[in-house]
Amino acid sequence: MENNNLSRHLYFYAIGLSYKKADAEIRGKFSLGNEAKTDVLEQAKNEGISSLVVISTCNRTEVYGFAQHPFQLIKLLCDNSQGSVEEFQQVAFVFKGKEAINHIFRVGTGLDSQILGDFEIISQLKSGFVESKSKGLANAFMERLVNSVIQASKKIKNETELSSGATSVSFASVQYIMNNVQDVSNKNILLFGTGKIGRNTCENLVKHTKNEHIVLINRTKEKAEKIAGKFNLVVKDYDVLPLEVPKADVLVVATGAPVPTIDKDILVLNKPLLILDLSIPKNVHDNVRDLDNVTVVHLDDLSKITDDTLEKRKRHIPAAELIIEEIKDEFISWMNARKFAPTIHALKEKLNSIKETELSFQRKKISNFDEEQAEIISKRLIHKITTHFANHLKDNDTMVDESIEWIEKVFKIENTSK
């Protein structure tokens, strides 16, 4: 009976993969579009998972949620992506409890970003939480945790210079173009794809290159026209992509297509072409590299660019980490108090039950039994015992989940973490 109680305990996990161990090809297999993310949430609900948040960007795909075992979350990811469990095991991470909490703080504050201080991830976390909440998959723990990460992110932005200067994947791509293309303001630039990275890249291209020869193409022309209207750029139909590519000196590919959209068959060129693939999964086929006059640069290459801005940001890591620790400690104190309160209450009820049984026995056994005095002494003992347990559970070094399990097991208390 006790073992069954223990098996029903849920733990908070963070599982996933990122640029740290997974290359662009593998990240592409596990990438989740909006529809796939919704499918993950629906499947989670059907499988009885109570709280879950999913994020998927060009640099990482991660799942944060409650489960009895992390494989429940790994299965959700693999069921709704092109990746297998075997591939996941080779490159992925699994964090539990406080390690998982620490990880989501570092991700949400830009400390774990491929380009240090890139805070675009926090908007992904916010939108992921909003969708989870709309489907009833965000409990009080998850809401408090995400809000704490948002609070830390804002405080780091306001009180440190971790995000100072213009550095992101989109800016790094423009920086690369400016450093490697001569007379860039007079070159023909074609931007294919107008998702978030595409929009940001477009804005940086206009701002920093002073180029008036930028053409936008998107599968949905209306989206491209909205962006073009802000900067007075030219928009062409998706159908004419093979005709526009030969005119370009620089091609920026930032689409969300699941398979490559640019291959050597459509690259009929009579001059050099620089291609920047900012897509996950890759949208430029590997066979393009066979062409002598084509240079292909992927976002993983761009993310390795280090400059003065990044070096300056590194100096602010300690200050950012202090802010994270402060807000994380507040969250963990709240979490622990909320977690063990039902256990302490149940322990007190159990001890009171033992007390009543014992007092009833002693009344029958002792002729002049002093019930009032026995009541006072037993209440004080119960108070002292429960206070000792509460202080143990409050200690920062205590493994709260495991301690709760043992208290429930030893005193045969019904599972309190439902």
Side-chain angles (χ1 to χ4, degrees):
M1 182 67 180
E2 292 81 17
N3 289 334
N4 289 336
N5 281 340
L6 289 177
S7 69
R8 287 203 298 269
H9 270 283
L10 300 177
Y11 299 96
F12 178 64
Y13 289 101
I15 67 101
L17 63 157
S18 74
Y19 68 93
K20 288 185 174 180
K21 290 181 69 176
D23 61 22
E25 183 179 353
I26 291 294
R27 296 203 307 276
K29 287 187 177 183
F30 287 94
S31 180
L32 301 172
N34 291 334
E35 188 175 332
K37 281 190 274 190
T38 301
D39 291 342
V40 169
L41 296 179
E42 293 291 350
Q43 184 177 332
K45 201 165 186 178
N46 292 336
E47 293 181 0
I49 290 174
S50 61
S51 191
L52 191 84
V53 171
V54 183
I55 60 171
S56 186
T57 72
C58 59
N59 290 327
R60 67 183 70 245
T61 297
E62 304 189 359
V63 178
Y64 313 109
F66 283 87
Q68 295 170 26
H69 191 279
F71 184 73
Q72 292 170 278
L73 306 184
I74 295 167
K75 180 177 180 294
L76 285 174
L77 176 56
C78 294
D79 283 353
N80 293 282
S81 70
Q82 301 302 311
S84 68
V85 173
E86 290 74 23
E87 288 169 319
F88 180 89
Q89 289 173 330
Q90 290 173 11
V91 298
F93 62 81
V94 174
F95 296 125
K96 175 184 176 184
K98 289 183 180 178
E99 283 189 345
I101 292 168
N102 184 60
H103 177 72
I104 193 173
F105 266 96
R106 293 185 69 84
V107 169
T109 55
L111 284 180
D112 200 66
S113 295
Q114 191 166 24
I115 293 182
L116 178 66
D118 186 349
F119 282 96
E120 291 180 7
I121 189 69
I122 195 66
S123 62
Q124 292 268 353
L125 188 58
K126 287 178 185 176
S127 60
F129 172 75
V130 168
E131 185 172 4
S132 293
K133 190 172 183 180
S134 71
K135 296 186 180 301
L137 282 168
N139 60 14
F141 173 100
M142 191 71 80
E143 184 157 12
R144 179 89 175 214
L145 176 59
V146 171
N147 284 335
S148 294
V149 174
I150 293 169
Q151 180 188 354
S153 175
K154 286 179 180 176
K155 195 167 184 181
I156 288 171
K157 284 181 187 176
N158 294 334
E159 298 182 13
T160 78
E161 295 180 32
L162 188 71
S163 59
S164 62
T167 300
S168 63
V169 170
S170 56
F171 180 75
S173 64
V174 175
Q175 194 176 36
Y176 184 91
I177 292 169
M178 293 174 68
N179 290 339
N180 291 276
V181 178
Q182 292 184 349
D183 193 24
V184 66
S185 60
N186 292 313
K187 297 297 184 181
N188 293 322
I189 300 176
L190 174 60
L191 177 60
F192 176 38
T194 54
K196 187 168 185 179
I197 288 181
R199 292 196 303 271
N200 291 342
T201 303
C202 180
E203 186 173 346
N204 280 316
L205 281 169
V206 172
K207 181 178 178 182
H208 297 288
T209 67
K210 311 299 181 188
N211 189 301
E212 296 180 359
H213 311 279
I214 300 173
V215 174
L216 303 185
I217 292 180
N218 194 59
R219 287 177 184 274
T220 308
K221 190 176 182 181
E222 292 76 13
K223 290 183 179 179
E225 287 173 337
K226 283 183 182 178
I227 296 165
K230 296 179 183 177
F231 307 112
N232 196 28
L233 304 177
V234 176
V235 175
K236 296 290 182 74
D237 290 324
Y238 173 67
D239 294 344
V240 301
L241 178 66
L243 301 177
E244 290 297 319
V245 170
K247 300 176 188 176
D249 299 293
V250 179
L251 169 61
V252 180
V253 183
T255 75
V259 294
T261 52
I262 302 293
D263 61 27
K264 70 177 184 180
D265 293 336
I266 69 167
L267 299 182
V268 182
L269 307 174
N270 54 15
K271 60 178 179 177
L273 176 65
L274 170 63
I275 303 178
L276 276 67
D277 186 0
L278 309 185
S279 311
I280 290 289
K282 287 181 179 180
N283 271 204
V284 177
H285 199 286
D286 288 338
N287 63 20
V288 169
R289 296 180 185 273
D290 298 338
L291 302 174
D292 294 333
N293 54 349
V294 176
T295 302
V296 180
V297 179
H298 190 260
L299 66 84
D300 279 359
D301 304 312
L302 295 169
S303 298
K304 293 171 187 171
I305 295 173
T306 56
D307 58 13
D308 291 340
T309 300
L310 286 176
E311 290 305 314
K312 288 175 184 174
R313 288 183 178 189
K314 288 178 183 177
R315 295 183 219 142
H316 300 279
I317 291 175
E321 288 178 334
L322 282 175
I323 290 171
I324 289 173
E325 285 304 310
E326 174 193 345
I327 296 174
K328 187 176 69 175
D329 286 349
E330 289 175 5
F331 171 77
I332 289 174
S333 294
W334 170 87
M335 175 191 74
N336 286 342
R338 184 174 177 272
K339 185 183 291 182
F340 68 68
T343 300
I344 295 299
H345 178 74
L347 175 61
K348 187 176 286 188
E349 291 294 312
K350 183 72 172 184
L351 292 174
N352 275 318
S353 174
I354 293 170
K355 177 201 77 172
E356 290 299 333
T357 302
E358 184 60 26
L359 290 183
S360 177
F361 174 77
Q362 294 299 338
R363 282 189 206 103
K364 297 172 184 175
K365 189 175 182 181
I366 302 172
S367 57
N368 59 343
F369 180 64
D370 190 335
E371 188 156 347
E372 184 178 350
Q373 191 175 30
E375 185 74 30
I376 292 170
I377 293 170
S378 56
K379 276 187 177 180
R380 283 180 60 82
L381 283 171
I382 289 171
H383 175 72
K384 286 181 180 293
I385 291 168
T386 53
T387 299
H388 271 289
F389 277 107
N391 288 337
H392 167 73
L393 292 168
K394 286 177 184 176
D395 193 292
N396 288 333
D397 294 328
T398 297
M399 298 176 72
V400 177
D401 289 321
E402 286 78 358
S403 293
I404 287 173
E405 285 184 18
W406 279 107
I407 291 169
E408 291 174 353
K409 183 177 181 180
V410 170
F411 289 94
K412 295 182 171 59
I413 298 169
E414 187 176 348
N415 187 291
T416 59
S417 61
K418 293 177 184 177

